[in-house]
Amino acid sequence: MHYRELGRTGWKVSEISFGAWAIGGSWGETDDAESLGALHRALDLGVNFIDTADVYGDGRSERLIARLRKERRETVYVATKAGRRLSPHTADGYNAANLARFIEDSLRNLETDCLDLVQLHCPPTEVYYRPEVFGALDDLVRAGKIRHYGVSVEKVEEALKAIEYPGVQTVQIIFNAFRHRPAELFFPEARRRQVGVLARVPLASGLLSGRMSRASAFAADDHRNFNRSGQAFDRGETFSGVDFETGLQAVEELRSAAPEGVSLASFCLRWILMFDAVACAIPGAKRAAQAEENVAAGGLPPLTTEQMRKVRDVYDRYIRQQVHARW
Ligand SMILES: NC(=O)c1ccc[n+]([C@@H]2O[C@H](COP(=O)([O-])OP(=O)(O)OC[C@H]3O[C@@H](n4cnc5c(N)ncnc54)[C@H](OP(=O)(O)O)[C@@H]3O)[C@@H](O)[C@H]2O)c1
């Protein structure tokens, strides 16, 4: 495992880390023992950073991580999120009182007295134009409730706006072989300001593992079934906003770029690590074997110029038109 600086936090985080949404909920049924097995395996392999949120399974994901931490001695940084408990989910809801309340819930779920990192959870764009929200987060740092804060964004423009606030340490954004735009404007600016970038949805919800087909079926409570066209939350969070059929065609072409014996999942994660503005990718994993395959990406050699060109070419031909202007 290799480690990278996370912005100005002073932390060195595993370049392949762990996304803990699926083990909480909205991805079909999961088994807590199996989820814990995936988390343990990830830590065995050097993962030291986990991304979660208060709403993942209504605290289930956070509580699993609390259990994990009790069973392990290593330092594990845990990034959680706040804001999505709001209903309706409005900019006005992002106020000091609500944020303090959400953070108390996460402190309880994670069984700690100070949260490592709290991210605003894809708030409405208007929130980025309200300095008082970031002031409230500064107050929570001063009060010792949170160590650092950051944002999870939908759009590149939100990311660029958010990092104007000096307290913002991290930006979590969708970045993968099907989502290239963050590398254009945002990455150079994030580097300049020493803001840590967390690449989320790195496997396009599993599509980039190359294991899906037209016959793949998803349970009714899996967002890959119920959010395909953005019925529940931003469409970009499901298959990275790519229409499933187009995604499958693009994946077929991508396969030829991955070297013999290297899985498409590992190859696509290694592609993300080619961008040094990225502190880590946070692939979700429900099982130990998935965590292993994902971590293996860190051990691969850098992609060749030809492989980079191929990924870009597939993006340009199949994906760009569907996603580039939207996020
Ligand atoms: N708004 C936000 O802030 C937000 C939104 C989305 C995600 N996130 C964060 O980003 C993390 C990662 O994104 P994500 O979980 O949405 O998507 P992802 O990492 O692109 O895909 C994860 C899913 O792909 C499948 N998978 C993982 N590794 C695999 C492998 N090696 N081989 C085959 N299939 C594999 C698993 O599902 P199956 O086995 O069921 O196929 C897994 O749940 C989340 O866990 C969460 O922490 C944040």
Side-chain angles (χ1 to χ4, degrees), residues 19 51 152 172 203 205 211 224 237 282 284 286 290 294:
D51 177 72
S152 181
Q172 183 180 135
L203 295 173
S205 315
R211 303 236 164 79
R224 294 170 295 186
E237 305 297 348
I282 50 169
K286 292 165 157 174
Q290 289 180 339
N294 298 341

Side-chain angles (χ1 to χ4, degrees), residues 16-165:
I16 299 293
S17 288
F18 193 103
W21 179 17
I23 63 169
S26 307
W27 288 75
E29 206 165 309
T30 51
D31 172 69
D32 283 353
E34 197 165 42
S35 300
L36 265 176
L39 287 164
H40 273 293
R41 190 71 191 119
L43 262 58
D44 293 343
L45 297 169
V47 167
N48 73 348
F49 183 89
I50 302 174
D51 177 72
T52 184
D54 54 356
V55 289
Y56 294 166
D58 193 20
R60 182 185 184 192
S61 173
E62 288 183 328
R63 288 190 294 272
L64 275 171
I65 294 164
R67 269 177 69 185
L68 173 80
R69 270 176 152 176
K70 277 192 271 189
E71 292 170 14
R72 305 289 294 219
R73 306 177 74 89
E74 305 89 325
T75 299
V76 189
Y77 302 111
V78 178
T80 192
K81 310 191 193 78
R84 286 276 159 173
R85 286 201 188 282
L86 292 167
S87 178
H89 182 237
T90 60
D92 287 345
Y94 283 79
N95 57 50
N98 282 339
L99 287 172
R101 191 160 51 83
F102 299 147
I103 278 155
E104 288 303 327
D105 285 347
S106 289
L107 287 168
R108 209 171 310 115
N109 284 333
L110 283 162
E111 297 181 47
T112 182
D113 49 14
C114 181
L115 300 174
D116 294 331
L117 175 67
V118 172
Q119 305 154 95
L120 299 181
H121 200 165
C122 293
T125 305
E126 170 65 19
V127 165
Y128 300 102
Y129 295 85
R130 296 190 180 182
E132 59 275 22
V133 177
F134 297 86
L137 291 167
D138 287 328
D139 289 344
L140 286 160
V141 173
R142 272 191 290 273
K145 297 285 183 185
I146 66 181
R147 271 186 200 94
H148 298 291
Y149 65 84
V151 293
S152 181
V153 302
E154 299 290 5
K155 296 175 171 55
V156 166
E157 284 65 28
E158 293 169 341
L160 287 165
K161 180 63 188 164
I163 62 177
E164 288 181 9
Y165 296 99

